[in-house]
PDB file of all heavy atoms in Angstrom:
ATOM      1  N   GLU A  44     -16.231 -10.312  14.843  1.00  0.00           N
ATOM      2  CA  GLU A  44     -15.534 -10.890  16.004  1.00  0.00           C
ATOM      3  C   GLU A  44     -15.949 -10.191  17.302  1.00  0.00           C
ATOM      4  O   GLU A  44     -15.314 -10.464  18.345  1.00  0.00           O
ATOM      5  CB  GLU A  44     -14.053 -10.756  15.793  1.00  0.00           C
ATOM      6  CG  GLU A  44     -13.491 -11.453  14.570  1.00  0.00           C
ATOM      7  CD  GLU A  44     -13.806 -12.953  14.548  1.00  0.00           C
ATOM      8  OE1 GLU A  44     -14.106 -13.558  15.562  1.00  0.00           O
ATOM      9  OE2 GLU A  44     -13.710 -13.553  13.438  1.00  0.00           O
ATOM     10  N   SER A  45     -16.917  -9.326  17.255  1.00  0.00           N
ATOM     11  CA  SER A  45     -17.370  -8.591  18.459  1.00  0.00           C
ATOM     12  C   SER A  45     -16.235  -7.795  19.099  1.00  0.00           C
ATOM     13  O   SER A  45     -16.148  -7.714  20.350  1.00  0.00           O
ATOM     14  CB  SER A  45     -18.036  -9.498  19.496  1.00  0.00           C
ATOM     15  OG  SER A  45     -19.056 -10.255  18.860  1.00  0.00           O
ATOM     16  N   PHE A  46     -15.372  -7.202  18.282  1.00  0.00           N
ATOM     17  CA  PHE A  46     -14.322  -6.355  18.801  1.00  0.00           C
ATOM     18  C   PHE A  46     -14.889  -4.937  18.880  1.00  0.00           C
ATOM     19  O   PHE A  46     -15.666  -4.511  18.042  1.00  0.00           O
ATOM     20  CB  PHE A  46     -13.105  -6.290  17.833  1.00  0.00           C
ATOM     21  CG  PHE A  46     -12.221  -7.574  17.823  1.00  0.00           C
ATOM     22  CD1 PHE A  46     -11.328  -7.765  16.827  1.00  0.00           C
ATOM     23  CD2 PHE A  46     -12.365  -8.519  18.817  1.00  0.00           C
ATOM     24  CE1 PHE A  46     -10.562  -8.921  16.829  1.00  0.00           C
ATOM     25  CE2 PHE A  46     -11.596  -9.641  18.825  1.00  0.00           C
ATOM     26  CZ  PHE A  46     -10.678  -9.860  17.826  1.00  0.00           C
ATOM     27  N   THR A  47     -14.397  -4.171  19.875  1.00  0.00           N
ATOM     28  CA  THR A  47     -14.800  -2.779  19.956  1.00  0.00           C
ATOM     29  C   THR A  47     -13.873  -1.904  19.109  1.00  0.00           C
ATOM     30  O   THR A  47     -12.741  -2.330  18.885  1.00  0.00           O
ATOM     31  CB  THR A  47     -14.752  -2.271  21.425  1.00  0.00           C
ATOM     32  OG1 THR A  47     -13.432  -2.479  21.925  1.00  0.00           O
ATOM     33  CG2 THR A  47     -15.768  -3.002  22.283  1.00  0.00           C
ATOM     34  N   ALA A  48     -14.394  -0.783  18.697  1.00  0.00           N
ATOM     35  CA  ALA A  48     -13.604   0.110  17.801  1.00  0.00           C
ATOM     36  C   ALA A  48     -12.325   0.600  18.475  1.00  0.00           C
ATOM     37  O   ALA A  48     -11.350   0.922  17.824  1.00  0.00           O
ATOM     38  CB  ALA A  48     -14.464   1.289  17.349  1.00  0.00           C
ATOM     39  N   ASP A  49     -12.366   0.673  19.833  1.00  0.00           N
ATOM     40  CA  ASP A  49     -11.224   1.207  20.561  1.00  0.00           C
ATOM     41  C   ASP A  49     -10.219   0.087  21.033  1.00  0.00           C
ATOM     42  O   ASP A  49      -9.332   0.336  21.816  1.00  0.00           O
ATOM     43  CB  ASP A  49     -11.645   2.026  21.775  1.00  0.00           C
ATOM     44  CG  ASP A  49     -12.529   1.198  22.766  1.00  0.00           C
ATOM     45  OD1 ASP A  49     -12.865   0.072  22.421  1.00  0.00           O
ATOM     46  OD2 ASP A  49     -12.821   1.715  23.850  1.00  0.00           O
ATOM     47  N   LEU A  50     -10.375  -1.087  20.447  1.00  0.00           N
ATOM     48  CA  LEU A  50      -9.505  -2.212  20.753  1.00  0.00           C
ATOM     49  C   LEU A  50      -8.071  -1.805  20.427  1.00  0.00           C
ATOM     50  O   LEU A  50      -7.753  -1.415  19.337  1.00  0.00           O
ATOM     51  CB  LEU A  50      -9.876  -3.477  19.938  1.00  0.00           C
ATOM     52  CG  LEU A  50      -8.928  -4.669  20.160  1.00  0.00           C
ATOM     53  CD1 LEU A  50      -9.164  -5.324  21.479  1.00  0.00           C
ATOM     54  CD2 LEU A  50      -9.185  -5.694  19.038  1.00  0.00           C
ATOM     55  N   LEU A  51      -7.186  -1.893  21.446  1.00  0.00           N
ATOM     56  CA  LEU A  51      -5.784  -1.477  21.219  1.00  0.00           C
ATOM     57  C   LEU A  51      -4.949  -2.635  20.763  1.00  0.00           C
ATOM     58  O   LEU A  51      -5.001  -3.732  21.314  1.00  0.00           O
ATOM     59  CB  LEU A  51      -5.200  -0.915  22.545  1.00  0.00           C
ATOM     60  CG  LEU A  51      -5.726   0.443  23.012  1.00  0.00           C
ATOM     61  CD1 LEU A  51      -5.165   0.789  24.368  1.00  0.00           C
ATOM     62  CD2 LEU A  51      -5.435   1.534  22.011  1.00  0.00           C
ATOM     63  N   VAL A  52      -4.218  -2.373  19.702  1.00  0.00           N
ATOM     64  CA  VAL A  52      -3.303  -3.377  19.202  1.00  0.00           C
ATOM     65  C   VAL A  52      -1.908  -2.809  19.369  1.00  0.00           C
ATOM     66  O   VAL A  52      -1.486  -1.886  18.680  1.00  0.00           O
ATOM     67  CB  VAL A  52      -3.565  -3.671  17.691  1.00  0.00           C
ATOM     68  CG1 VAL A  52      -2.666  -4.783  17.210  1.00  0.00           C
ATOM     69  CG2 VAL A  52      -5.028  -4.054  17.488  1.00  0.00           C
ATOM     70  N   THR A  53      -1.206  -3.305  20.382  1.00  0.00           N
ATOM     71  CA  THR A  53       0.025  -2.608  20.800  1.00  0.00           C
ATOM     72  C   THR A  53       1.350  -3.358  20.519  1.00  0.00           C
ATOM     73  O   THR A  53       2.387  -3.035  21.130  1.00  0.00           O
ATOM     74  CB  THR A  53      -0.036  -2.335  22.337  1.00  0.00           C
ATOM     75  OG1 THR A  53      -0.297  -3.547  22.981  1.00  0.00           O
ATOM     76  CG2 THR A  53      -1.095  -1.296  22.669  1.00  0.00           C
ATOM     77  N   ASP A  54       1.280  -4.304  19.665  1.00  0.00           N
ATOM     78  CA  ASP A  54       2.494  -5.098  19.421  1.00  0.00           C
ATOM     79  C   ASP A  54       3.459  -4.435  18.404  1.00  0.00           C
ATOM     80  O   ASP A  54       4.387  -5.091  17.917  1.00  0.00           O
ATOM     81  CB  ASP A  54       2.153  -6.510  18.968  1.00  0.00           C
ATOM     82  CG  ASP A  54       1.738  -7.343  20.152  1.00  0.00           C
ATOM     83  OD1 ASP A  54       1.920  -6.904  21.287  1.00  0.00           O
ATOM     84  OD2 ASP A  54       1.205  -8.481  19.897  1.00  0.00           O
ATOM     85  N   GLY A  55       3.232  -3.202  18.015  1.00  0.00           N
ATOM     86  CA  GLY A  55       4.089  -2.565  17.059  1.00  0.00           C
ATOM     87  C   GLY A  55       3.746  -2.938  15.652  1.00  0.00           C
ATOM     88  O   GLY A  55       2.771  -3.658  15.407  1.00  0.00           O
ATOM     89  N   ARG A  56       4.533  -2.453  14.697  1.00  0.00           N
ATOM     90  CA  ARG A  56       4.317  -2.684  13.291  1.00  0.00           C
ATOM     91  C   ARG A  56       4.611  -4.127  12.873  1.00  0.00           C
ATOM     92  O   ARG A  56       5.603  -4.707  13.380  1.00  0.00           O
ATOM     93  CB  ARG A  56       5.147  -1.746  12.424  1.00  0.00           C
ATOM     94  CG  ARG A  56       4.892  -0.271  12.726  1.00  0.00           C
ATOM     95  CD  ARG A  56       4.055   0.404  11.607  1.00  0.00           C
ATOM     96  NE  ARG A  56       2.687  -0.013  11.566  1.00  0.00           N
ATOM     97  CZ  ARG A  56       1.704   0.618  12.218  1.00  0.00           C
ATOM     98  NH1 ARG A  56       1.926   1.648  12.984  1.00  0.00           N
ATOM     99  NH2 ARG A  56       0.462   0.201  12.082  1.00  0.00           N
ATOM    100  N   LEU A  57       3.822  -4.653  11.998  1.00  0.00           N
ATOM    101  CA  LEU A  57       4.111  -6.008  11.428  1.00  0.00           C
ATOM    102  C   LEU A  57       5.061  -5.858  10.235  1.00  0.00           C
ATOM    103  O   LEU A  57       5.801  -6.796   9.944  1.00  0.00           O
ATOM    104  CB  LEU A  57       2.809  -6.678  11.010  1.00  0.00           C
ATOM    105  CG  LEU A  57       1.844  -7.125  12.096  1.00  0.00           C
ATOM    106  CD1 LEU A  57       0.514  -7.537  11.489  1.00  0.00           C
ATOM    107  CD2 LEU A  57       2.438  -8.278  12.891  1.00  0.00           C
ATOM    108  N   VAL A  58       4.924  -4.759   9.543  1.00  0.00           N
ATOM    109  CA  VAL A  58       5.733  -4.499   8.345  1.00  0.00           C
ATOM    110  C   VAL A  58       7.047  -3.902   8.763  1.00  0.00           C
ATOM    111  O   VAL A  58       7.084  -2.995   9.620  1.00  0.00           O
ATOM    112  CB  VAL A  58       4.961  -3.560   7.378  1.00  0.00           C
ATOM    113  CG1 VAL A  58       5.869  -2.971   6.330  1.00  0.00           C
ATOM    114  CG2 VAL A  58       3.821  -4.337   6.705  1.00  0.00           C
ATOM    115  N   SER A  59       8.139  -4.362   8.167  1.00  0.00           N
ATOM    116  CA  SER A  59       9.430  -3.844   8.539  1.00  0.00           C
ATOM    117  C   SER A  59      10.105  -3.141   7.335  1.00  0.00           C
ATOM    118  O   SER A  59      10.428  -3.744   6.308  1.00  0.00           O
ATOM    119  CB  SER A  59      10.292  -5.031   8.989  1.00  0.00           C
ATOM    120  OG  SER A  59      11.630  -4.663   9.106  1.00  0.00           O
ATOM    121  N   VAL A  60      10.230  -1.807   7.440  1.00  0.00           N
ATOM    122  CA  VAL A  60      10.908  -0.994   6.440  1.00  0.00           C
ATOM    123  C   VAL A  60      11.782  -0.016   7.205  1.00  0.00           C
ATOM    124  O   VAL A  60      11.577   0.295   8.331  1.00  0.00           O
ATOM    125  CB  VAL A  60       9.933  -0.259   5.532  1.00  0.00           C
ATOM    126  CG1 VAL A  60       9.213  -1.177   4.587  1.00  0.00           C
ATOM    127  CG2 VAL A  60       8.926   0.558   6.305  1.00  0.00           C
ATOM    128  N   PRO A  61      12.786   0.564   6.481  1.00  0.00           N
ATOM    129  CA  PRO A  61      13.620   1.592   7.138  1.00  0.00           C
ATOM    130  C   PRO A  61      12.757   2.744   7.642  1.00  0.00           C
ATOM    131  O   PRO A  61      11.743   3.062   6.995  1.00  0.00           O
ATOM    132  CB  PRO A  61      14.560   2.045   6.011  1.00  0.00           C
ATOM    133  CG  PRO A  61      14.571   0.950   5.012  1.00  0.00           C
ATOM    134  CD  PRO A  61      13.216   0.266   5.137  1.00  0.00           C
ATOM    135  N   PRO A  62      13.146   3.384   8.722  1.00  0.00           N
ATOM    136  CA  PRO A  62      12.349   4.457   9.245  1.00  0.00           C
ATOM    137  C   PRO A  62      12.241   5.650   8.274  1.00  0.00           C
ATOM    138  O   PRO A  62      13.194   5.856   7.453  1.00  0.00           O
ATOM    139  CB  PRO A  62      13.038   4.903  10.540  1.00  0.00           C
ATOM    140  CG  PRO A  62      14.434   4.339  10.401  1.00  0.00           C
ATOM    141  CD  PRO A  62      14.338   3.123   9.569  1.00  0.00           C
ATOM    142  N   PRO A  63      11.159   6.400   8.309  1.00  0.00           N
ATOM    143  CA  PRO A  63      11.027   7.518   7.371  1.00  0.00           C
ATOM    144  C   PRO A  63      12.036   8.609   7.671  1.00  0.00           C
ATOM    145  O   PRO A  63      12.470   8.748   8.821  1.00  0.00           O
ATOM    146  CB  PRO A  63       9.611   8.048   7.592  1.00  0.00           C
ATOM    147  CG  PRO A  63       9.255   7.590   8.973  1.00  0.00           C
ATOM    148  CD  PRO A  63      10.027   6.300   9.199  1.00  0.00           C
ATOM    149  N   SER A  64      12.430   9.333   6.682  1.00  0.00           N
ATOM    150  CA  SER A  64      13.419  10.424   6.870  1.00  0.00           C
ATOM    151  C   SER A  64      13.138  11.503   5.798  1.00  0.00           C
ATOM    152  O   SER A  64      12.816  11.191   4.641  1.00  0.00           O
ATOM    153  CB  SER A  64      14.808   9.870   6.710  1.00  0.00           C
ATOM    154  OG  SER A  64      15.716  10.913   6.517  1.00  0.00           O
ATOM    155  N   SER A  65      13.331  12.725   6.232  1.00  0.00           N
ATOM    156  CA  SER A  65      13.159  13.812   5.294  1.00  0.00           C
ATOM    157  C   SER A  65      14.302  13.849   4.225  1.00  0.00           C
ATOM    158  O   SER A  65      14.203  14.513   3.235  1.00  0.00           O
ATOM    159  CB  SER A  65      13.089  15.167   6.044  1.00  0.00           C
ATOM    160  OG  SER A  65      14.305  15.282   6.819  1.00  0.00           O
ATOM    161  N   GLN A  66      15.347  13.145   4.567  1.00  0.00           N
ATOM    162  CA  GLN A  66      16.512  13.075   3.663  1.00  0.00           C
ATOM    163  C   GLN A  66      16.286  12.135   2.462  1.00  0.00           C
ATOM    164  O   GLN A  66      17.074  12.134   1.513  1.00  0.00           O
ATOM    165  CB  GLN A  66      17.784  12.583   4.399  1.00  0.00           C
ATOM    166  CG  GLN A  66      18.094  13.385   5.681  1.00  0.00           C
ATOM    167  CD  GLN A  66      18.326  14.869   5.337  1.00  0.00           C
ATOM    168  OE1 GLN A  66      19.049  15.214   4.443  1.00  0.00           O
ATOM    169  NE2 GLN A  66      17.644  15.753   6.099  1.00  0.00           N
ATOM    170  N   LEU A  67      15.281  11.304   2.554  1.00  0.00           N
ATOM    171  CA  LEU A  67      15.016  10.334   1.493  1.00  0.00           C
ATOM    172  C   LEU A  67      14.588  11.052   0.194  1.00  0.00           C
ATOM    173  O   LEU A  67      13.771  11.937   0.242  1.00  0.00           O
ATOM    174  CB  LEU A  67      13.914   9.333   1.889  1.00  0.00           C
ATOM    175  CG  LEU A  67      14.253   8.354   3.045  1.00  0.00           C
ATOM    176  CD1 LEU A  67      13.024   7.524   3.341  1.00  0.00           C
ATOM    177  CD2 LEU A  67      15.398   7.433   2.683  1.00  0.00           C
ATOM    178  N   ASP A  68      15.162  10.607  -0.919  1.00  0.00           N
ATOM    179  CA  ASP A  68      14.708  11.184  -2.180  1.00  0.00           C
ATOM    180  C   ASP A  68      13.410  10.456  -2.678  1.00  0.00           C
ATOM    181  O   ASP A  68      12.970   9.504  -2.019  1.00  0.00           O
ATOM    182  CB  ASP A  68      15.823  11.137  -3.250  1.00  0.00           C
ATOM    183  CG  ASP A  68      16.218   9.701  -3.642  1.00  0.00           C
ATOM    184  OD1 ASP A  68      15.505   8.758  -3.263  1.00  0.00           O
ATOM    185  OD2 ASP A  68      17.284   9.549  -4.306  1.00  0.00           O
ATOM    186  N   THR A  69      12.897  10.928  -3.756  1.00  0.00           N
ATOM    187  CA  THR A  69      11.603  10.400  -4.254  1.00  0.00           C
ATOM    188  C   THR A  69      11.679   8.882  -4.481  1.00  0.00           C
ATOM    189  O   THR A  69      10.768   8.148  -4.063  1.00  0.00           O
ATOM    190  CB  THR A  69      11.262  11.070  -5.633  1.00  0.00           C
ATOM    191  OG1 THR A  69      11.275  12.439  -5.431  1.00  0.00           O
ATOM    192  CG2 THR A  69       9.901  10.671  -6.115  1.00  0.00           C
ATOM    193  N   ARG A  70      12.764   8.417  -5.090  1.00  0.00           N
ATOM    194  CA  ARG A  70      12.900   7.000  -5.352  1.00  0.00           C
ATOM    195  C   ARG A  70      12.904   6.198  -4.023  1.00  0.00           C
ATOM    196  O   ARG A  70      12.224   5.140  -3.964  1.00  0.00           O
ATOM    197  CB  ARG A  70      14.200   6.763  -6.124  1.00  0.00           C
ATOM    198  CG  ARG A  70      14.332   5.305  -6.609  1.00  0.00           C
ATOM    199  CD  ARG A  70      15.736   4.912  -6.926  1.00  0.00           C
ATOM    200  NE  ARG A  70      15.785   3.479  -7.162  1.00  0.00           N
ATOM    201  CZ  ARG A  70      15.832   2.558  -6.218  1.00  0.00           C
ATOM    202  NH1 ARG A  70      15.766   2.900  -4.947  1.00  0.00           N
ATOM    203  NH2 ARG A  70      15.914   1.251  -6.514  1.00  0.00           N
ATOM    204  N   ASP A  71      13.656   6.662  -3.046  1.00  0.00           N
ATOM    205  CA  ASP A  71      13.697   5.914  -1.781  1.00  0.00           C
ATOM    206  C   ASP A  71      12.391   5.896  -1.060  1.00  0.00           C
ATOM    207  O   ASP A  71      12.005   4.901  -0.460  1.00  0.00           O
ATOM    208  CB  ASP A  71      14.813   6.545  -0.842  1.00  0.00           C
ATOM    209  CG  ASP A  71      16.202   6.251  -1.387  1.00  0.00           C
ATOM    210  OD1 ASP A  71      16.347   5.258  -2.112  1.00  0.00           O
ATOM    211  OD2 ASP A  71      17.099   7.049  -1.040  1.00  0.00           O
ATOM    212  N   LYS A  72      11.687   7.003  -1.136  1.00  0.00           N
ATOM    213  CA  LYS A  72      10.359   7.049  -0.484  1.00  0.00           C
ATOM    214  C   LYS A  72       9.389   6.067  -1.173  1.00  0.00           C
ATOM    215  O   LYS A  72       8.655   5.372  -0.517  1.00  0.00           O
ATOM    216  CB  LYS A  72       9.747   8.474  -0.581  1.00  0.00           C
ATOM    217  CG  LYS A  72      10.348   9.421   0.433  1.00  0.00           C
ATOM    218  CD  LYS A  72       9.728  10.832   0.254  1.00  0.00           C
ATOM    219  CE  LYS A  72      10.432  11.811   1.224  1.00  0.00           C
ATOM    220  NZ  LYS A  72      10.055  13.167   0.891  1.00  0.00           N
ATOM    221  N   LEU A  73       9.475   6.054  -2.493  1.00  0.00           N
ATOM    222  CA  LEU A  73       8.637   5.149  -3.284  1.00  0.00           C
ATOM    223  C   LEU A  73       8.995   3.659  -2.987  1.00  0.00           C
ATOM    224  O   LEU A  73       8.157   2.823  -2.865  1.00  0.00           O
ATOM    225  CB  LEU A  73       8.708   5.427  -4.794  1.00  0.00           C
ATOM    226  CG  LEU A  73       7.897   6.635  -5.266  1.00  0.00           C
ATOM    227  CD1 LEU A  73       8.281   6.981  -6.691  1.00  0.00           C
ATOM    228  CD2 LEU A  73       6.408   6.397  -5.158  1.00  0.00           C
ATOM    229  N   TRP A  74      10.318   3.423  -2.923  1.00  0.00           N
ATOM    230  CA  TRP A  74      10.788   2.057  -2.657  1.00  0.00           C
ATOM    231  C   TRP A  74      10.298   1.573  -1.280  1.00  0.00           C
ATOM    232  O   TRP A  74       9.831   0.485  -1.133  1.00  0.00           O
ATOM    233  CB  TRP A  74      12.283   1.964  -2.789  1.00  0.00           C
ATOM    234  CG  TRP A  74      12.714   0.510  -2.784  1.00  0.00           C
ATOM    235  CD1 TRP A  74      12.889  -0.293  -3.847  1.00  0.00           C
ATOM    236  CD2 TRP A  74      13.031  -0.271  -1.632  1.00  0.00           C
ATOM    237  NE1 TRP A  74      13.272  -1.532  -3.445  1.00  0.00           N
ATOM    238  CE2 TRP A  74      13.352  -1.561  -2.068  1.00  0.00           C
ATOM    239  CE3 TRP A  74      13.011  -0.053  -0.251  1.00  0.00           C
ATOM    240  CZ2 TRP A  74      13.688  -2.625  -1.215  1.00  0.00           C
ATOM    241  CZ3 TRP A  74      13.344  -1.086   0.621  1.00  0.00           C
ATOM    242  CH2 TRP A  74      13.676  -2.353   0.134  1.00  0.00           C
ATOM    243  N   ARG A  75      10.404   2.482  -0.308  1.00  0.00           N
ATOM    244  CA  ARG A  75      10.003   2.154   1.053  1.00  0.00           C
ATOM    245  C   ARG A  75       8.506   1.848   1.103  1.00  0.00           C
ATOM    246  O   ARG A  75       8.062   0.908   1.691  1.00  0.00           O
ATOM    247  CB  ARG A  75      10.324   3.334   1.959  1.00  0.00           C
ATOM    248  CG  ARG A  75      10.026   3.142   3.411  1.00  0.00           C
ATOM    249  CD  ARG A  75      10.404   4.399   4.208  1.00  0.00           C
ATOM    250  NE  ARG A  75      10.050   4.232   5.600  1.00  0.00           N
ATOM    251  CZ  ARG A  75       8.871   4.552   6.080  1.00  0.00           C
ATOM    252  NH1 ARG A  75       7.925   5.115   5.293  1.00  0.00           N
ATOM    253  NH2 ARG A  75       8.556   4.365   7.370  1.00  0.00           N
ATOM    254  N   LEU A  76       7.705   2.675   0.378  1.00  0.00           N
ATOM    255  CA  LEU A  76       6.287   2.496   0.312  1.00  0.00           C
ATOM    256  C   LEU A  76       5.926   1.204  -0.395  1.00  0.00           C
ATOM    257  O   LEU A  76       5.144   0.404   0.076  1.00  0.00           O
ATOM    258  CB  LEU A  76       5.626   3.681  -0.431  1.00  0.00           C
ATOM    259  CG  LEU A  76       4.129   3.613  -0.667  1.00  0.00           C
ATOM    260  CD1 LEU A  76       3.332   3.508   0.642  1.00  0.00           C
ATOM    261  CD2 LEU A  76       3.636   4.741  -1.498  1.00  0.00           C
ATOM    262  N   HIS A  77       6.608   0.994  -1.549  1.00  0.00           N
ATOM    263  CA  HIS A  77       6.313  -0.236  -2.353  1.00  0.00           C
ATOM    264  C   HIS A  77       6.661  -1.479  -1.539  1.00  0.00           C
ATOM    265  O   HIS A  77       5.893  -2.476  -1.539  1.00  0.00           O
ATOM    266  CB  HIS A  77       7.132  -0.181  -3.628  1.00  0.00           C
ATOM    267  CG  HIS A  77       6.830  -1.279  -4.635  1.00  0.00           C
ATOM    268  ND1 HIS A  77       5.651  -1.295  -5.329  1.00  0.00           N
ATOM    269  CD2 HIS A  77       7.529  -2.349  -4.988  1.00  0.00           C
ATOM    270  CE1 HIS A  77       5.635  -2.346  -6.113  1.00  0.00           C
ATOM    271  NE2 HIS A  77       6.742  -3.037  -5.933  1.00  0.00           N
ATOM    272  N   SER A  78       7.766  -1.433  -0.828  1.00  0.00           N
ATOM    273  CA  SER A  78       8.186  -2.544   0.015  1.00  0.00           C
ATOM    274  C   SER A  78       7.122  -2.835   1.071  1.00  0.00           C
ATOM    275  O   SER A  78       6.767  -3.983   1.355  1.00  0.00           O
ATOM    276  CB  SER A  78       9.540  -2.224   0.648  1.00  0.00           C
ATOM    277  OG  SER A  78       9.908  -3.193   1.598  1.00  0.00           O
ATOM    278  N   ALA A  79       6.682  -1.768   1.752  1.00  0.00           N
ATOM    279  CA  ALA A  79       5.699  -1.894   2.833  1.00  0.00           C
ATOM    280  C   ALA A  79       4.393  -2.480   2.284  1.00  0.00           C
ATOM    281  O   ALA A  79       3.785  -3.401   2.901  1.00  0.00           O
ATOM    282  CB  ALA A  79       5.446  -0.527   3.471  1.00  0.00           C
TER     283      ALA A  79
END
Side-chain angles (χ1 to χ4, degrees):
E44 301 302 343
S45 305
F46 286 166
T47 56
D49 59 352
L50 176 74
L51 289 174
V52 184
T53 54
D54 283 349
R56 301 255 71 91
L57 290 170
V58 164
S59 171
V60 289
S64 164
S65 57
Q66 305 302 311
L67 293 177
D68 64 12
T69 306
R70 187 201 170 281
D71 288 336
K72 282 179 185 169
L73 281 170
W74 190 90
R75 183 178 176 273
L76 174 64
H77 188 72
S78 173

